Amino acid sequence: MKALEQRIIEAGKVLGPTVLKVDSFLNHQIDPQLMYEMGKEFSYLFREEKITKILTIESSGIAPAVMAGLQMNVPVIFARKRKSLTLTDNLLTAHVYSFTKKETNEISVSGSFLNHDDSILIIDDFLANGEAALALAKIVEDAGASVAGIGIVIEKAFQNGGKKLREKGFKVESLARISSLENGQVEFLSNELEETIQ
Amino acid sequence: MKALEQRIIEAGKVLGPTVLKVDSFLNHQIDPQLMYEMGKEFSYLFREEKITKILTIESSGIAPAVMAGLQMNVPVIFARKRKSLTLTDNLLTAHVYSFTKKETNEISVSGSFLNHDDSILIIDDFLANGEAALALAKIVEDAGASVAGIGIVIEKAFQNGGKKLREKGFKVESLARISSLENGQVEFLSNELEETIQ
C-alpha cells in the first residue's frame, strides 16, 4: 500500500536492524485518515472471504482493526493482555512470547464472542516472528471458529513469522512488507519504493 | 445519544450498583458503526472548539477516539499504561488510581506529540471518579498545551468525576449519562429513556 510505505519512509525511525519505530502514526500517535485507508485496503484484500468478525490484540491493533470492521461491517474483538475485572467467564487464552521484550504474556478473549460458525480475520500492527498471530489463531481454533485470513499492517519480511504463517496455510496479506532495516534504511519487498530514511 | 443509550439497555449488563459491563460493543468486542456514530457526535459537540489533537488512554478509549479523529481530521494519541521499549524519550507521566482495581498505574505520553499551541480533546470510554481524565489533563498541561474539552462515552453521573471535572472548568460532554445502576437497572440522566435491563 503506497500511502503506508510513503509514510513509513517519511515518519518511521529505524532504531536497529530489526526495530522500526512508527509511533508518530500507528503505535502511539495515530493518523485516523491513514487508518481509514488501511481499513479499505484490508476490506479489498479479503473481499473473497466471508468474514464475520475481526480479532486483534490491544493496543496498536485496535485502530486498523476497527477501520477494517467499519468497511466490512463486522464486529471487532480485541484480545486483552491484562486481566479485566469484568471479563472473567468463558475465557480463551494463549501465550505470546515477545522476542523484543523477552517475556511471555497471556492474552485472553471471551469465548462468548466467538462462535463455531465464525470466519475470523485476524489483524495486527506488526508481523515479526508471528507469535501474536499464532496465539490469536489458536484462540480462534479453540473456539471452534475458523481463521479466514491474517491482515498485517507492517510485515518485517526478513523475520520468519510470515513464512511460518503462510506455511501453515493461512492467507496472509500485509500492507507493507519490509525486506531490510540494515544500515538505518527501510527497504520494501515490492522493490518499487526502496528509499532511505533517517 | 439515543443509539448509545439504546445499546446500553439492550446489551449492557449491570454487575453491581457501580459496575456496568459493556464488553459486547465497547470494551472487548467493538461495534465499529456505533463508534463511527459516536465519533460524529463528539465532532458535533466540540465543533466550537479548535481541536488540534485528541488524547485518549489505551485500550478502550482508542476506538471512539480514532473515529472522532477521523471526523475532526486531527491525530489521536493514546497514553500507554505499560512501558514501551521504543517509547522512552521525553516522557510525560501521571498516576491513575483505579477505585475498582484498587491500584495505581502510571500512564505515559511522549512529549514529542504534544506542543505548546495544541488544543487537546481528551476522550475516554468511562467517567466514574475522574482519575483517568484528570491524569490525561495533567499530562496536557505539563506539555504546556491546553485542554479544549473532555468527551466521555459513558458517564456514571452518580459518581463524582463529572462534578469534579466541571468544577475545574473543563467542558465535559458525555454521550450517555447514567444516573443509577441500582437494582440491576440502568437509568439515564436525560429521563427520556429510563428502562430496565437484566
Side-chain angles (χ1 to χ4, degrees):
Chain A
M1 185 183 161
K2 282 288 156 243
L4 175 61
E5 292 185 353
Q6 195 58 46
R7 184 64 70 88
I8 291 170
I9 288 175
E10 287 166 12
K13 286 180 187 164
V14 179
L15 298 191
T18 62
V19 185
L20 174 68
K21 186 171 171 172
V22 287
D23 67 349
S24 66
F25 61 93
L26 179 61
N27 277 342
H28 183 38
Q29 181 170 258
I30 300 170
D31 177 341
Q33 308 294 341
L34 181 63
M35 298 299 124
Y36 186 80
E37 293 306 316
M38 284 167 27
K40 273 177 30 184
E41 186 73 9
F42 280 130
S43 176
Y44 175 78
L45 291 168
F46 293 97
R47 67 196 178 283
E48 303 288 336
E49 328 300 323
K50 293 203 180 351
I51 311 289
T52 60
K53 276 184 183 170
I54 293 171
L55 178 63
T56 186
I57 187 167
E58 62 180 353
S59 292
S60 303
I62 295 175
V66 167
M67 289 302 183
L70 184 71
Q71 299 286 337
M72 302 167 85
N73 201 19
V74 296
V76 173
I77 304 161
F78 63 89
R80 288 194 172 270
K81 290 177 184 166
R82 286 158 55 112
K83 298 266 186 249
S84 158
L85 281 189
T86 60
L87 173 62
T88 46
D89 49 334
N90 190 13
L91 272 197
L92 302 167
T93 60
H95 289 92
V96 182
Y97 179 72
S98 163
F99 285 87
T100 358
K101 295 187 179 176
K102 294 185 179 49
E103 62 181 31
T104 298
N105 283 298
E106 190 181 63
I107 62 168
S108 54
V109 173
S110 166
S112 323
F113 301 125
L114 292 173
N115 304 310
H116 289 277
D117 52 357
D118 270 327
S119 180
I120 307 286
L121 173 60
I122 291 171
I123 286 187
D124 205 5
D125 59 337
F126 269 100
L127 172 59
N129 295 290
E131 294 289 312
L134 285 169
L136 292 171
K138 175 190 176 294
I139 283 176
V140 170
E141 284 157 6
D142 285 353
S146 62
V147 177
I150 300 175
I152 299 291
V153 178
I154 301 174
E155 178 179 346
K156 296 187 209 166
F158 55 88
Q159 289 179 286
N160 67 350
K163 185 161 179 282
K164 229 190 285 182
L165 295 174
R166 290 180 181 98
E167 278 176 4
K168 281 180 177 289
F170 293 120
K171 172 176 168 143
V172 182
E173 296 283 359
S174 305
L175 303 188
R177 300 185 72 194
I178 292 173
S179 57
S180 164
L181 292 172
E182 294 294 332
N183 307 316
Q185 295 185 9
V186 181
E187 292 186 10
F188 295 101
L189 258 195
S190 66
N191 283 327
E192 292 167 7
L193 193 69
E194 293 182 9
E195 293 193 31
T196 306
I197 66 170
Q198 297 309 317
Chain B
M1 185 181 162
K2 283 287 156 243
L4 176 61
E5 293 185 352
Q6 195 60 45
R7 184 63 71 87
I8 291 170
I9 287 175
E10 286 165 13
K13 287 180 186 163
V14 180
L15 298 191
T18 62
V19 185
L20 174 70
K21 187 171 170 172
V22 288
D23 67 350
S24 65
F25 61 92
L26 180 60
N27 277 342
H28 183 38
Q29 181 169 255
I30 300 170
D31 177 342
Q33 307 295 339
L34 182 63
M35 298 299 124
Y36 185 81
E37 293 306 318
M38 284 167 25
K40 273 179 26 185
E41 187 72 10
F42 280 129
S43 177
Y44 175 77
L45 290 168
F46 293 97
R47 67 196 178 283
E48 303 288 336
E49 327 300 323
K50 294 205 180 345
I51 311 289
T52 60
K53 274 184 186 171
I54 293 171
L55 177 63
T56 187
I57 186 167
E58 63 180 352
S59 291
S60 303
I62 295 175
V66 168
M67 288 302 181
L70 184 70
Q71 300 287 336
M72 303 168 86
N73 202 19
V74 296
V76 173
I77 304 162
F78 64 89
R80 289 194 171 270
K81 290 177 183 167
R82 287 159 53 114
K83 299 264 187 253
S84 159
L85 280 189
T86 60
L87 172 62
T88 44
D89 49 334
N90 190 13
L91 272 196
L92 301 166
T93 61
H95 290 92
V96 182
Y97 178 72
S98 162
F99 285 87
T100 359
K101 295 188 180 175
K102 293 185 180 50
E103 62 180 32
T104 298
N105 283 297
E106 190 182 62
I107 63 167
S108 53
V109 173
S110 166
S112 323
F113 301 125
L114 292 173
N115 304 312
H116 288 277
D117 52 355
D118 270 327
S119 180
I120 307 286
L121 174 60
I122 291 171
I123 286 187
D124 205 5
D125 59 337
F126 269 100
L127 172 59
N129 295 290
E131 294 290 310
L134 284 169
L136 292 171
K138 175 191 176 293
I139 284 176
V140 171
E141 284 158 6
D142 284 354
S146 62
V147 177
I150 300 176
I152 299 292
V153 178
I154 301 174
E155 177 179 347
K156 297 188 208 165
F158 55 88
Q159 290 179 286
N160 68 350
K163 186 162 177 284
K164 228 190 285 182
L165 295 175
R166 291 180 181 100
E167 278 177 5
K168 281 180 177 289
F170 292 121
K171 173 177 168 143
V172 182
E173 296 283 359
S174 304
L175 303 187
R177 299 184 75 193
I178 292 173
S179 57
S180 165
L181 292 172
E182 294 293 333
N183 306 315
Q185 295 185 8
V186 181
E187 292 186 10
F188 294 101
L189 258 196
S190 65
N191 283 327
E192 293 166 5
L193 193 70
E194 291 182 10
E195 292 192 35
T196 306
I197 66 169
Q198 297 309 315

